[in-house]
Amino acid sequence: MEENGRHIVRVYVGALSQEYEALSVEASKHTAAEEIVTCIVQKLGFPNPHDYELAEVIGNAVGQECKERRLSPFESPVALKLLWPKCSETADSLLGSPPFPSRSRRTSSSSTSSVPDQYRFCLREKLTDSLWSESFAMDPQVIKDYFYRFLYQPADKEYPDLCQLPDLNEETLLENLRSRFVGGHIYTYVGSILIAVNPFKFHPIYNPKYVKLYQNRRREELPPHIFAIADSAYHTMLKEKRNQSIVISGESGSGKTETTNFLLHHLTALSQKGTHGSGVEQTILSAGPVLEAFGNAKTAHNNNSSRFGKFIQVSYRENGMVHGAIVQKYLLEKSRICCQAKNERNYHVFYYLLAGASESEKSLLALLPPYKYHYLNQSGCYTLEGVDESYEFSRLKQSMEMVGFGSDKQRKLFTVLSAVLLLGNVEFVPKKSSYHHDESVLVKNPDVVRQISALLRVTEETLTAALTSKRARVSGEMLVINYRMPEVISSTQAMAKCLYGALFDWIVLQVNHALLSKKDPTGIEATGKSIGVLDIFGFEDFGNCNSFEQYCINYANEHLQNYFNQHVFKYEQEEYKKEGIKWTNIGYMDNTPCLSLIEAKPNGLICILDDQCNFPGATNETLLQKFNSIHKEHEFYDVPQKREPAFIIRHYAGKVKYQVSTLLRNCHQEERHSNKLFVMYKVQKVIGNLRFHCK
């Protein structure tokens, strides 16, 4: 509820009061959590407001509290509430149901068992470390419930660590994982590695009870959990004074992003002694919807698939307190800007903008309905079931404001988004010429180019020249070479990808600026270490639509699998032999030859592709012919049974067929980025004093 910038914040008091279930307070975005706590405590008649604090609680539809974060005294509950996904009918209207506002999760259409997440604010008593210890000493039922209800394993049926299996082979390994999952146990160790099987629903094992339970404990003392991995990294960093890294990998839709969130939540809780979240965590929370809107899209496997990889490095002071963080992004899938497969979508932000912009914004930005954009109408998919994209747009703007995007920066950003969409609507026709060999083209709809040039604040002549021609220096002279029809289409797509990729770089830069602006109040430079969390894109196979990006994504995952093989099998077994331990080697598929097929010099697939890109007369046919002639006998390379412009790689996760046309086209478009530098320099005026880098 909002009136003249005022909001109603409802706080649930639970067992703290026999008279009230919840109390409401009127507040603004500038009202701090401690002010709301003081007001609530006074209404309840309690003596000292400093003994209480607010907590943001996430639960499920049956009232189980699955995740909790304590708010710092100076955080804004109203601003935080505005970041919550849209409420459907609140459970307040349902007799006897838990009073959470709910949201709809974006999941694959096949995942019908997902349960909506639900949010609320709760009043909590402050818990110091001594109170934590006392509560655990006085209430052993907490630990008992944890073991027996969620994670207890009968030793004769299943094993929490696969290394404990008496007979380790593929069949027993998979059967152990299946038995544990059926019993509700989603985590299993393989030595120091944690396997998580996505249940597509909340398990109530992430609230502060379990945060404290795993603090500074030996890994084998408790059942497997993601908190144990975070705790091990944190205390190893403090003890050995060395940086730590946690790598999260898996197929698309396996729950990598949610696991990253749990890790960050626990790492921050450790540094804050379990009392409340830090400013860094709050900033990451605000940055989440922004990165998701610009970097996530609907695919055939997942309605909210991350189309980029990210590395989050959380830095700590010597006393173990969070000092700041840095986000790095990898391999944004820029080909999605110009083309999507059937029933897939472009990036979420385009649909949010078109659905949520006001009439004045639509006029100012020259916005059209989604079906009128070539870059959006190829797949025939415009909406997501259960998602209010108009509301998501308002939520996006609120999140952007909290990480430093003011209204002026937002307007400039949306201006570039509109220009990217309009680039797909530019059409070309062959130029009528008296010369028989003149295959140059003209713009068919100059009014669209005029709109784009106005949005980007470049002249129409400059933009037209950048789209239809290139410059080359020959014998000391600068020549202008006109594009033919295939080249001009590729040139336009290259510009759209370059604009969007640069825009995404700017967003990450702004997020990092917000994270690094958390200054030490003493003014002393931090000298501690850091923990890095790598959330890498999952292995993918889209049938006949595997592009250059999928090739790179699967190549990265192939390297991760090789790293896993080396450390879990090869190095470990070599160490046993050195120590004279009687040991029968465990067989495993060594994917080193597959990596050699892709990256070896001089005849690896990447080297051949690089050579062909530098050859002016190279075509899809010559590239495929080169691949086949060199590698047709390779054990990890296959030629499709029917004649088609594709090749097959036998990855560790299975065979994947790649379309050769996407490889050569992407590389040629990357080369054409250099021809857009002048236009990109002009576009900097739209964004401000930020530098764009075409990658």
Side-chain angles (χ1 to χ4, degrees):
M1 177 179 175
E2 180 177 356
E3 184 178 350
N4 298 324
R6 307 293 292 180
H7 300 253
I8 299 299
V9 177
R10 196 173 192 190
V11 179
Y12 292 86
V13 296
L16 294 176
S17 173
Q18 298 296 323
E19 185 177 354
Y20 299 102
E21 179 186 19
L23 292 170
S24 298
V25 177
E26 185 177 336
S28 71
K29 288 197 292 185
H30 305 290
T31 305
E34 63 179 356
E35 298 176 61
I36 294 179
V37 169
T38 300
C39 185
I40 295 293
V41 169
Q42 289 175 350
K43 287 185 178 182
L44 293 172
F46 296 163
N48 189 359
H50 298 292
D51 292 337
Y52 301 90
E53 60 188 344
L54 276 185
E56 178 194 27
V57 179
I58 305 175
N60 58 25
V62 295
Q64 294 173 315
E65 294 180 359
C66 301
K67 183 180 177 183
E68 179 175 312
R69 186 181 70 85
R70 304 295 176 99
L71 274 63
S72 69
F74 306 107
E75 283 190 64
S76 169
V78 171
L80 183 60
K81 184 179 178 181
L82 292 173
L83 294 177
W84 292 350
K86 186 176 182 180
C87 302
S88 57
E89 290 185 350
T90 62
D92 295 328
S93 62
L94 301 177
L95 183 61
S97 54
F100 285 91
S102 64
R103 69 165 180 164
S104 297
R105 293 180 63 185
R106 289 196 195 95
T107 57
S108 174
S109 57
S110 62
S111 303
T112 57
S113 61
S114 62
V115 179
D117 305 346
Q118 304 177 329
Y119 291 68
R120 65 177 174 177
F121 288 120
C122 294
L123 186 68
R124 298 288 196 237
E125 290 184 277
K126 286 186 178 178
L127 297 177
T128 63
D129 283 342
S130 60
L131 285 175
W132 269 112
S133 302
E134 291 170 9
S135 66
F136 275 98
M138 293 185 297
D139 188 12
Q141 190 64 33
V142 172
I143 299 179
K144 183 179 178 181
D145 287 347
Y146 181 59
F147 276 95
Y148 285 86
R149 187 177 179 186
F150 302 113
L151 296 173
Y152 176 72
Q153 323 298 333
D156 60 337
K157 291 185 62 177
E158 51 194 54
Y159 295 85
D161 191 331
L162 295 179
C163 293
Q164 298 172 349
L165 286 171
D167 183 17
L168 181 57
N169 54 57
E170 183 176 352
E171 182 179 353
T172 58
L173 185 151
L174 294 177
E175 177 59 28
N176 189 73
L177 290 175
R178 187 196 67 81
S179 298
R180 290 177 58 77
F181 182 76
V182 170
H185 317 310
I186 63 175
Y187 293 118
T188 305
Y189 289 128
V190 184
S192 60
I193 297 170
L194 182 70
I195 296 176
V197 183
N198 192 350
F200 291 100
K201 63 180 180 181
F202 260 130
H203 279 231
I205 54 173
Y206 303 104
N207 62 38
K209 295 178 184 178
Y210 310 114
V211 170
K212 189 64 180 180
L213 187 62
Y214 278 89
Q215 286 188 15
N216 206 15
R217 303 288 292 270
R218 292 173 60 88
R219 187 177 61 83
E220 59 272 14
E221 291 179 16
L222 294 171
H225 200 291
I226 188 63
F227 289 168
I229 300 298
D231 185 83
S232 175
Y234 178 76
H235 286 98
T236 301
M237 175 194 71
L238 295 180
K239 182 180 179 180
E240 300 183 4
K241 299 188 182 303
R242 294 174 57 191
N243 294 337
Q244 303 295 307
S245 293
I246 302 172
V247 179
I248 304 171
S249 66
E251 287 189 326
S252 179
S254 60
K256 297 182 297 297
T257 301
E258 192 67 24
T259 298
T260 301
N261 293 337
F262 285 138
L263 275 170
L264 294 173
H265 171 73
H266 190 71
L267 290 172
T268 307
L270 288 169
S271 71
Q272 296 294 329
K273 310 300 182 185
T275 56
H276 56 75
S278 70
V280 171
E281 186 189 47
Q282 177 59 38
T283 304
I284 292 176
L285 178 66
S286 303
V290 179
L291 295 176
E292 179 181 311
F294 285 84
N296 288 29
K298 179 188 184 303
T299 67
H301 300 157
N302 188 351
N303 281 5
N304 191 34
S305 176
S306 297
R307 310 313 301 162
F308 68 105
K310 62 178 178 289
F311 178 72
I312 303 173
Q313 186 175 16
V314 183
S315 57
Y316 295 83
R317 301 184 180 93
E318 288 186 331
N319 63 359
M321 304 295 286
V322 170
H323 175 66
I326 296 177
V327 178
Q328 298 180 43
K329 66 93 178 174
Y330 302 95
L331 194 65
L332 177 69
E333 187 186 31
K334 288 182 281 190
S335 65
R336 183 167 294 274
I337 298 297
C338 306
C339 181
Q340 309 89 42
K342 185 178 180 181
N343 292 325
E344 295 195 357
R345 300 206 316 173
N346 212 316
Y347 289 104
H348 293 323
V349 67
F350 292 118
Y351 306 93
Y352 294 172
L353 174 63
L354 298 180
S358 64
E359 291 302 321
S360 60
E361 288 174 325
K362 289 180 179 179
S363 176
L364 182 66
L365 300 176
L367 298 179
L368 303 171
Y371 66 88
K372 290 189 176 181
Y373 288 108
H374 179 65
Y375 285 168
L376 301 182
N377 64 16
Q378 300 170 61
S379 67
C381 182
Y382 303 107
T383 59
L384 289 177
E385 184 178 355
V387 177
D388 184 343
E389 290 174 322
S390 178
Y391 174 80
E392 292 295 333
F393 182 64
S394 63
R395 177 173 171 248
L396 170 62
K397 292 199 292 186
Q398 174 68 23
S399 301
M400 293 175 69
E401 183 179 333
M402 295 184 69
V403 290
F405 290 90
S407 57
D408 186 56
K409 284 185 178 179
Q410 290 184 29
R411 179 182 56 80
K412 293 174 180 177
L413 186 150
F414 296 142
T415 297
V416 176
L417 288 180
S418 176
V420 169
L421 287 177
L422 286 172
L423 277 170
N425 288 1
V426 178
E427 299 177 6
F428 302 92
V429 293
K431 182 179 180 181
K432 294 181 179 179
S433 174
S434 56
Y435 298 98
H436 295 292
H437 298 289
D438 187 358
E439 300 182 56
S440 58
V441 298
L442 296 174
V443 175
K444 182 180 179 180
N445 48 354
D447 55 318
V448 176
V449 175
R450 196 172 301 115
Q451 286 180 318
I452 299 172
S453 62
L455 290 169
L456 298 181
R457 298 185 186 178
V458 297
T459 64
E460 186 178 348
E461 293 75 15
T462 300
L463 181 60
T464 302
L467 291 174
T468 59
S469 63
K470 65 178 180 180
R471 297 182 180 184
R473 185 174 294 278
V474 179
S475 301
E477 296 185 5
M478 184 66 69
L479 300 180
V480 176
I481 303 173
N482 293 323
Y483 287 139
R484 295 172 294 179
M485 185 63 75
E487 295 170 334
V488 77
I489 294 174
S490 183
S491 171
T492 305
Q493 292 180 354
M495 180 177 288
K497 294 177 184 179
C498 187
L499 277 170
Y500 193 84
L503 201 63
F504 194 80
D505 287 343
W506 175 44
I507 291 169
V508 174
L509 180 67
Q510 186 68 52
V511 169
N512 283 331
H513 178 74
L515 290 171
L516 292 173
S517 65
K518 309 296 179 185
K519 301 294 185 182
D520 189 329
T522 63
I524 301 175
E525 186 70 22
T527 57
K529 299 299 180 180
S530 65
I531 297 177
V533 180
L534 177 61
D535 177 11
I536 196 169
F537 18 66
F539 186 90
E540 294 177 334
D541 181 6
F542 290 109
N544 292 324
C545 302
N546 290 303
S547 65
F548 179 71
E549 277 84 359
Q550 270 69 54
Y551 177 78
C552 296
I553 286 172
N554 293 344
Y555 171 43
N557 278 273
E558 197 75 52
H559 258 292
L560 273 181
Q561 179 67 19
N562 184 258
Y563 179 88
F564 180 90
N565 288 342
Q566 296 281 345
H567 286 78
V568 174
F569 295 109
K570 185 177 180 179
Y571 295 157
E572 196 72 20
Q573 294 182 140
E574 287 177 355
E575 191 67 25
Y576 291 169
K577 288 182 179 180
K578 290 179 182 178
E579 296 178 6
I581 298 174
K582 291 184 179 181
W583 178 260
T584 302
N585 280 346
I586 297 174
Y588 65 94
M589 188 187 79
D590 186 2
N591 67 337
T592 302
C594 184
L595 288 174
S596 298
L597 165 69
I598 298 172
E599 65 185 10
K601 296 181 180 181
N603 291 323
L605 298 179
I606 292 178
C607 291
I608 296 173
L609 176 61
D610 188 50
D611 290 340
Q612 290 289 297
C613 288
N614 293 324
F615 182 63
T619 63
N620 296 332
E621 291 73 21
T622 60
L623 176 63
L624 184 60
Q625 184 180 11
K626 193 83 170 178
F627 282 173
N628 291 340
S629 63
I630 296 177
H631 296 295
K632 63 181 179 180
E633 302 298 330
H634 197 286
E635 60 178 318
F636 287 89
Y637 183 92
D638 281 344
V639 178
Q641 291 183 350
K642 66 176 183 178
R643 187 178 181 86
E644 58 179 314
F647 63 96
I648 297 172
I649 296 179
R650 293 174 175 263
H651 289 286
Y652 73 95
K655 295 182 179 180
V656 179
K657 181 167 64 177
Y658 298 99
Q659 304 302 313
V660 70
S661 59
T662 64
L663 304 185
L664 206 57
R665 182 175 67 242
N666 273 56
C667 292
H668 283 163
Q669 287 180 348
E670 291 295 324
E671 292 175 0
R672 292 194 177 95
H673 284 181
S674 61
N675 299 320
K676 310 295 178 284
L677 290 180
F678 181 70
V679 175
M680 296 301 293
Y681 172 77
K682 293 287 187 179
V683 172
Q684 289 180 36
K685 295 181 180 179
V686 181
I687 303 302
N689 61 351
L690 296 168
R691 291 180 179 272
F692 273 111
H693 299 279
C694 298
K695 298 182 179 179

